[in-house]
Amino acid sequence: MRPSALPIEEALHHIDEAKQGEVYMAENPVPEDSGKRFYMESYGCQMNFSDSEIVASILKDHGYHATDDHQTADLIFINTCAIRDNAEQRVRNRLQNLQAVKKSKPGALIGVLGCMAERLKSKFLEEEKMVDIVVGPDAYKTIPALINEAETGQKAVNVMLSLEETYADINPVRLGGNGVTAFISIMRGCDNMCSFCVVPYTRGRERSRDPESIVAEARDLVDKGYKEVTLLGQNVDSYLWFGGGPKKAFKNLTVAEQESSVNFAQLLAMVADISPELRVRFSTSHPKDITDEVLHTMKAFDNICNYIHLPVQSGSSRILEKMNRTYDRSWYKMKIDTIRQIIPDCGISTDIITGFCSETPADHKETLTMMEYVKYDMAYMFVYSERPGTPAAKKYTDDIPETVKKERLMEIVRLQNQHAEERNRQDIGKVQKVLIERVSSKSDQDLCGRNDQNKMVVFPREQYQPGSYVNVLVESCTSATLIGKVVI
Ligand code: SAH
Ligand code: SF4
Ligand code: F3S
């Protein structure tokens, strides 16, 4: 996924009621007003945030209003992440805190959505008495029925995974956004089975969404004034539409299916064709699946941003094999070379896991030398967290002591900071096209937005407004931000 400014599981957002109201009222028939209010918090990756927008749409269609005050809400939904143990711990703590609300407002319901709900299923109701509703990522359309069940004191659980559901028919309510950039889910699930990862179990089989519905959603965003869309999937490069249902390889399609199929490069072009004013981004790319066709499509369209999030996970071929990433060190380096050859100024970021089972100092060194080779613009760096039920948990011992994992992580973080600053310094003196997203969080006298390579650029506000493109001369930088001023 395209990373947010915080490590993924730290990102948390609340609903901007006013904005949702506007968006909602413009595009949906006025539902019967139940007078009830829902409050929603999201944890995890952008797909989860995107799912919360689908859930908000379903709730609004059933007469619920959004509120950003959990104290007065009739329904509190926590959209959860299960990717690492600390992500789950954060949710448990939050649920504990919310018990006070339940006490002070009898009848208020608490629902757990998302990946942790899928992982723990009805255990959530048994162990954590504080929860009334449990809904997995493919069952959101049943939420209104589940609310009814919970209201009559029944157990309300639906964690059925689906081979087909893509929510293509639901127009998401944009939550807490800036009105400039939005996410569009293009596929769900993951078939990759990286040995450390819980996602295939929490999100089910990979399936692609109808491209017409994706284009329609993007066009609708453009009509509403949005200027950037990010196409989301766990592995966008394996997107393949052939009429719906679980993923199939292109070679296994019938001739008729092949002829009418749409792959990721073609989808990118379809979305980029909507308007030259619309920026198109995507996330996440898997090194084994990103094709030259995608890279050439990026090159061919000025409005497809030159930025790729290409998680490496480890620089050691031995560890990559144990992780079941299905590429090795030299394959990954070859992909980096190809990207730089086709799109020389492409921004590249990554995810790194340190301290995976049996990782030796030599394996760790190979991660550091891989980082030196690529000099990532940005990276998300994690210590390995064993997830119950995953192949790694079953086959390997989580044998690297926490202290060693942390030391290795610190070394990786230090090196990454150096690289990011080095990369940012290369932009000083250059003029960058920036899409203004919002007022800077550090000063209301400054605006900020991203350049083509996804770097955050901060500059004096003057008369400029979010949603417009400006040319910014970069004058200085930190490891996280470019700083400059608008030039004509
Ligand atoms: N589909 C994306 C990743 C989604 S999860 C991809 O394949 O790249 C986001 C990141 O979380 C992963 O890239 C990985 O770096 C990290 N992650 C996943 N499982 C983890 C675990 N068990 N422990 C630590 N980090 C993990
Ligand atoms: Fe997890 Fe691998 Fe799928 Fe990414 S590609 S979601 S890391 S199994
Ligand atoms: Fe995303 Fe966390 Fe689920 S990273 S897919 S919300 S486990």
Side-chain angles (χ1 to χ4, degrees):
M1 321 277 81
R2 188 184 88 176
S4 51
L6 291 168
I8 52 174
E9 83 278 15
E10 274 170 28
L12 175 147
H13 76 180
H14 298 277
I15 289 159
D16 177 336
E17 198 180 354
K19 190 166 284 141
Q20 277 182 70
E22 281 161 28
V23 173
Y24 177 72
M25 297 315 276
E27 63 197 12
N28 289 304
V30 179
E32 208 175 299
D33 188 346
S34 72
K36 294 205 167 166
R37 297 175 154 258
F38 73 93
Y39 167 87
M40 186 142 54
E41 263 176 32
S42 306
Y43 296 79
C45 64
Q46 285 153 341
M47 291 224 68
N48 241 21
F49 285 74
S50 173
D51 279 1
S52 291
E53 301 186 327
I54 287 165
V55 173
S57 175
I58 292 167
L59 287 171
K60 289 214 160 193
D61 275 346
H62 284 80
Y64 280 82
H65 295 268
T67 174
D68 56 7
D69 177 12
H70 65 275
Q71 310 270 3
T72 58
D74 301 283
L75 191 58
I76 297 175
F77 273 160
I78 310 291
N79 198 354
T80 61
C81 174
I83 200 85
R84 283 170 290 277
D85 185 58
N86 58 6
E88 292 200 356
Q89 222 41 59
R90 197 163 298 138
V91 169
R92 285 183 206 278
N93 293 341
R94 186 63 180 135
L95 286 172
Q96 207 74 53
N97 295 340
L98 287 169
Q99 290 315 293
V101 179
K102 241 177 128 43
K103 285 214 180 83
S104 68
K105 197 168 186 292
L109 296 176
I110 298 185
V112 183
L113 317 179
C115 292
M116 196 176 162
E118 189 64 47
R119 196 178 82 72
L120 293 174
K121 304 191 168 56
S122 55
K123 267 197 219 150
F124 241 123
L125 290 184
E126 289 147 21
E127 287 170 16
E128 329 270 336
K129 295 265 183 297
M130 47 221 189
V131 169
D132 306 290
I133 302 172
V134 180
V135 201
D138 287 345
Y140 294 148
K141 284 183 184 159
T142 65
I143 283 177
L146 291 168
I147 295 172
N148 288 342
E149 280 175 29
E151 278 173 345
T152 56
Q154 300 169 64
K155 277 192 180 180
V157 185
N158 189 348
V159 288
M160 286 279 286
L161 288 172
S162 159
L163 296 175
E164 268 100 33
E165 183 63 86
T166 60
Y167 299 110
D169 52 334
I170 293 185
N171 201 352
V173 170
R174 304 290 159 188
L175 298 175
N178 50 23
V180 179
T181 61
F183 298 120
I184 302 181
S185 288
I186 62 163
M187 59 206 293
R188 298 184 72 81
C190 182
D191 281 359
N192 275 333
M193 303 302 283
C194 302
S195 65
F196 51 81
C197 186
V198 78
V199 172
Y201 306 94
T202 62
R203 296 220 157 227
R205 293 291 308 277
E206 184 178 315
R207 66 222 96 122
S208 295
R209 173 178 165 189
D210 184 345
E212 293 304 331
S213 79
I214 296 167
V215 170
E217 189 175 329
R219 201 168 274 137
D220 185 50
L221 285 164
V222 171
D223 292 345
K224 295 198 172 92
Y226 282 79
K227 293 287 173 58
E228 182 182 297
V229 292
T230 302
L231 307 181
L232 292 181
Q234 293 298 353
N235 180 8
V236 288
D237 302 287
S238 86
Y239 175 91
L240 184 63
W241 174 256
F242 51 88
K247 177 183 163 176
K248 282 190 209 161
F250 183 79
K251 62 177 185 340
N252 296 336
L253 302 182
T254 63
V255 175
E257 281 174 336
Q258 282 187 351
E259 278 170 2
S260 62
S261 70
V262 175
N263 68 17
F264 182 58
Q266 291 162 329
L267 176 72
L268 264 182
M270 285 164 76
V271 177
D273 260 334
I274 293 172
S275 160
E277 282 289 290
L278 178 71
R279 267 187 174 179
V280 184
R281 299 187 185 277
F282 55 88
S283 193
T284 296
S285 297
H286 194 296
K288 80 172 159 56
D289 290 318
I290 189 164
T291 59
D292 290 2
E293 190 188 357
V294 166
L295 300 175
H296 286 295
T297 307
M298 291 172 72
K299 190 184 162 84
F301 284 86
D302 276 349
N303 58 333
I304 303 179
C305 291
N306 291 338
Y307 168 65
I308 299 175
H309 185 61
L310 198 70
V312 66
Q313 312 299 1
S314 168
S316 152
S317 294
R318 190 182 71 85
I319 293 291
L320 286 169
E321 190 176 354
K322 285 181 87 109
M323 288 177 161
N324 194 29
R325 288 291 286 181
T326 69
Y327 55 85
D328 63 8
R329 181 181 172 88
S330 59
W331 168 276
Y332 187 90
K333 284 166 100 174
M334 186 264 291
K335 277 290 160 192
I336 296 289
D337 295 346
T338 311
I339 293 169
R340 299 226 194 274
Q341 198 190 329
I342 298 173
I343 313 166
D345 64 341
C346 195
I348 302 179
S349 60
T350 202
D351 293 344
I352 297 171
I353 297 178
T354 187
F356 187 65
C357 314
S358 85
E359 187 187 71
T360 62
D363 294 319
H364 170 59
K365 189 88 206 297
E366 288 204 283
T367 298
L368 299 174
T369 55
M370 178 65 95
M371 293 171 72
E372 292 285 6
Y373 185 81
V374 184
K375 286 207 167 53
Y376 294 106
D377 294 273
M378 204 273 299
Y380 288 94
M381 298 153 281
F382 310 103
V383 294
Y384 172 58
S385 164
E386 186 177 87
R387 308 311 293 129
T390 55
K394 288 185 191 150
K395 282 193 292 187
Y396 308 127
T397 316
D398 181 12
D399 54 358
I400 308 301
E402 278 311 299
T403 48
V404 175
K405 285 182 180 172
K406 295 234 164 78
E407 275 162 26
R408 288 180 187 169
L409 180 69
M410 288 324 295
E411 209 176 337
I412 287 170
V413 168
R414 267 196 303 274
L415 185 61
Q416 178 50 37
N417 284 345
Q418 275 174 30
H419 289 164
E421 197 173 333
E422 218 172 288
R423 285 267 175 222
N424 283 354
R425 251 189 273 118
Q426 289 169 355
D427 289 332
I428 295 177
K430 291 186 188 158
V431 173
Q432 310 265 319
K433 187 177 173 187
V434 174
L435 171 60
I436 308 176
E437 289 181 19
R438 57 182 165 83
V439 172
S440 158
S441 44
K442 294 224 173 94
S443 159
D444 63 5
Q445 295 309 300
D446 290 336
L447 292 170
C448 62
R450 281 163 217 277
N451 70 3
D452 205 35
Q453 286 75 18
N454 205 40
K455 289 185 189 169
M456 195 48 100
V457 187
V458 178
F459 50 93
R461 190 170 187 167
E462 299 173 74
Q463 74 279 22
Y464 303 104
Q465 295 295 331
S468 30
Y469 289 100
V470 280
N471 291 319
V472 176
L473 171 67
V474 179
E475 295 172 314
S476 62
C477 70
T478 66
S479 61
T481 318
L482 302 176
I483 302 153
K485 62 170 188 229
V486 176
V487 291
I488 305 304

